[in-house]
């Protein structure tokens, strides 16, 4: 596969177009695209208002460039995705038009040259280059549209409250689970903003408290990437890998209120069993409600949506259910950022390092002393090492 040839433009070279060559990877769903794209590929997508999570996922995939058939900033609200992509040095060709999906095939070698997408010398599509200046102008206009989006969000929330008021008043019927949650702490992981950094910062907390680990769809893969096995996988099974589903975790399929559960067939096709949880709202909401109704002492969240900006960034009316779900479980709910700031393990990383160094020095001293005194004391050396080994394990 040819390596991408990128010539990044600086502010003083703005008149020189950015040129990126790479293999085109197409998908109208950005979430699906990031699962199969490779470093240096040109991501061709149809994503109106690219959100922060999608932008971070594309950066993590190390794409060569992004070509968007839709407006990356439509003006509805100030979405953060384009700014994140441009700041990472990834060229963004915007508004290339939906016909691009008929003109280029997945796997074609293409070139992003300024505001044009080419296959060989033929122009496939043309669009608008979003650089820092263009993103700043678009974001200024989008801020004016945020008020209308907030009003729409409030209206959606009131409508959901009218239809689903039992969620706050009566609770929900949860399925019987093998996993014991009552009187335990729970960590819920969603592939959302800063989930990798938050999981890394929570290592001392996870090691000491051993919470129940719940992955929401792709959050199960995030847990596995961080070195953990989820106890529960909750969701509609649209963005979790087969490997994660087969890791031995208990599976809870999110179903609609009428009982339809599209994700159940995928689990069955893998030869796995699952329980069904029918509830309104998102899979993120279902995980929160499940932990609450099953008697969790504390619910710590990673990557979930908790601010108004994140609700708008999610870009759907269903986020009103998340707002109300957080009202219901709020007394138990703590965001990972708060835990990492407030929580301090009994042994900090510097202390563990000092402990390891001290143990190694002590071992070296003992070894030197007994080697100088003769080989008859090797048993003593061996016993000393076995005594120090548990300390080294704790330290490291």
């Amino acid at each position: 596969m040819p390596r991408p040839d990128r010539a990044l433009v600086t502010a003083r070279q703005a008149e020189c177009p950015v040129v990126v060559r790479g293999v085109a990877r197409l998908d109208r769903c950005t979430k699906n695209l990031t699962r199969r794209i490779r470093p240096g590929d040109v991501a061709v997508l149809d994503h109106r208002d690219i959100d922060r999570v999608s932008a971070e996922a594309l950066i993590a995939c190390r794409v060569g460039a992004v070509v968007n058939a839709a407006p990356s900033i439509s003006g509805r609200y100030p979405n953060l995705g384009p700014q994140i992509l441009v700041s990472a040095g990834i060229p963004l060709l915007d508004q290339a038009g939906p016909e691009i999906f008929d003109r280029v095939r997945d796997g074609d070698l293409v070139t992003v040259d300024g505001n044009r997408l080419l296959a060989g010398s033929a122009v496939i599509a043309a669009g608008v280059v979003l650089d820092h200046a263009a993103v700043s102008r678009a974001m200024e206009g989008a801020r004016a549209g945020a008020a209308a989006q907030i009003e729409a969000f409030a209206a959606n929330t009131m409508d959901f409250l009218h239809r689903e008021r039992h969620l706050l008043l009566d609770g929900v019927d949860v399925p019987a689970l093998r996993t014991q949650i009552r009187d335990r702490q729970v960590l819920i992981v969603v592939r959302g903003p800063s989930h990798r950094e938050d999981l890394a910062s929570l290592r001392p907390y996870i090691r000491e408290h051993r919470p129940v680990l719940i992955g929401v769809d792709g959050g199960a893969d995030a847990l596995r990437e961080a070195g953990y096995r989820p106890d529960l996988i909750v969701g509609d099974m649209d963005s979790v890998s087969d490997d994660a589903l087969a890791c031995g975790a208990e599976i809870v399929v999110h179903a609609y209120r009428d009982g339809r559960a599209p994700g159940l067939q995928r689990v069955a096709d893998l030869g796995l069993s699952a329980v069904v949880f029918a509830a309104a709202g998102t899979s993120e909401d279902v995980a929160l409600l499940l932990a609450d109704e099953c008697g969790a002492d504390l619910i710590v969240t990673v990557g979930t949506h908790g601010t108004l900006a994140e609700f708008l960034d999610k870009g759907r009316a269903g986020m009103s259910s998340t707002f109300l779900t957080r009202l219901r479980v709020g007394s138990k709910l703590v965001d990972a950022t708060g835990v990492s700031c407030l929580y301090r393990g009994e042994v900090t990383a510097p202390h563990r390092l000092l402990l390891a160094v001290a143990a190694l020095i002590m071992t070296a001293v003992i070894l030197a002393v007994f080697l100088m005194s003769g080989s008859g004391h090797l048993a003593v050396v061996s016993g000393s090492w076995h005594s120090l080994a548990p300390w080294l394990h704790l330290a490291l």
Side-chain angles (χ1 to χ4, degrees):
M1 181 182 299
R3 294 179 64 85
D5 178 15
R6 178 183 296 179
L8 293 179
V9 60
T10 65
R12 286 175 294 181
Q13 298 171 322
E15 69 278 5
C16 300
V18 175
V19 177
V20 176
R21 296 183 183 92
V23 174
R25 296 298 176 193
L26 288 76
D27 205 305
R28 296 182 184 275
C29 178
T30 306
K31 181 168 59 176
N32 293 338
L33 183 62
T34 55
R35 290 206 295 266
R36 59 188 181 84
I37 203 165
R38 296 180 180 180
D41 287 349
V42 175
V44 181
L45 44 90
D46 187 3
H47 193 150
R48 184 172 182 251
D49 295 323
I50 297 178
D51 58 272
R52 173 184 174 183
V53 174
S54 297
E56 290 176 346
L58 289 166
I59 292 171
C61 293
R62 294 186 291 159
V63 296
V66 174
V67 179
N68 193 1
S72 299
I73 305 175
S74 70
R76 293 189 306 122
Y77 72 101
N79 54 305
L80 299 176
Q83 186 174 11
I84 293 172
L85 286 172
V86 172
S87 297
I90 296 177
L92 175 56
L93 179 57
D94 198 42
Q95 302 181 56
E99 61 275 3
I100 191 174
F101 285 88
D102 299 321
R103 297 177 180 174
V104 64
R105 295 173 300 177
D106 196 271
D108 285 351
L109 183 63
V110 297
T111 302
V112 177
D113 187 354
N115 70 334
R116 303 177 303 165
L117 181 69
L118 301 95
S121 59
V123 178
I124 299 173
V128 178
V129 176
L130 285 189
D131 55 15
H132 286 286
V135 169
S136 296
R137 289 193 299 270
M139 291 288 277
E140 283 295 325
R143 290 187 182 94
Q149 293 302 308
I150 291 172
E151 291 179 5
F153 177 79
N156 289 329
T157 301
M158 293 305 297
D159 178 65
F160 185 86
L161 180 59
H162 177 74
R163 291 183 288 106
E164 305 287 345
R165 55 186 175 271
H166 66 278
L167 178 68
L168 294 177
L169 300 176
D170 305 322
V172 292
D173 294 326
V174 299
L177 300 176
R178 299 192 313 269
T179 305
Q180 295 299 314
I181 294 178
R182 182 164 301 280
D183 299 327
R184 295 182 64 188
Q185 297 185 18
V186 171
L187 176 63
I188 296 177
V189 179
V190 179
R191 272 194 185 274
S194 304
H195 71 272
R196 292 183 181 87
E197 295 82 356
D198 287 342
L199 269 176
S201 68
L202 288 178
R203 285 192 179 279
Y205 162 76
I206 296 172
R207 181 170 54 247
E208 184 169 331
H209 289 276
R210 300 192 177 278
V212 178
L213 302 178
I214 300 180
V216 179
D217 279 321
D221 290 286
L223 278 166
R224 284 169 57 79
E225 289 167 7
Y228 303 107
R229 197 202 79 172
D231 298 298
L232 281 164
I233 299 175
V234 179
D236 49 20
M237 308 300 137
D238 67 339
S239 59
V240 59
S241 70
D242 291 348
D243 287 342
L245 287 174
C247 75
E250 188 171 8
I251 300 172
V252 180
V253 177
H254 178 200
Y256 298 110
R257 293 287 291 172
D258 60 9
R260 290 181 296 118
L264 193 58
Q265 185 59 49
R266 182 187 174 196
V267 175
D269 290 343
L270 293 172
L272 303 171
S273 60
V275 297
V276 176
F277 187 5
T282 67
S283 297
E284 181 180 317
D285 306 333
V286 167
L288 289 169
L289 292 171
L290 189 70
D292 180 55
E293 292 290 334
C294 288
D297 272 345
L298 182 74
I299 304 173
V300 180
T301 59
V302 167
T304 58
H305 301 81
T307 67
L308 181 59
E310 290 170 347
F311 289 162
L312 296 179
D313 214 20
K314 192 67 175 176
R316 59 182 178 186
M319 289 306 293
S320 57
S321 67
T322 299
F323 176 72
L324 294 177
T325 299
R326 285 177 170 271
L327 286 181
R328 175 171 178 81
V329 306
S331 62
K332 300 178 179 180
L333 196 60
V334 182
D335 186 74
T337 304
V339 173
S340 62
C341 288
L342 297 175
Y343 177 82
R344 294 292 183 271
E346 293 182 359
V347 183
T348 64
H351 290 159
R352 290 197 300 273
L353 180 60
L354 288 174
L355 182 61
V357 172
L360 288 172
I361 291 174
M362 187 180 299
T363 302
V365 170
I366 293 172
L367 183 61
V369 169
F370 282 104
L371 285 178
M372 286 188 295
S373 62
S375 59
H377 300 284
L378 287 179
V380 179
V381 175
S382 176
S384 300
W385 168 254
H386 287 298
S387 298
L388 288 169
W391 289 94
L392 281 171
H393 179 75
L394 173 64
L396 298 175

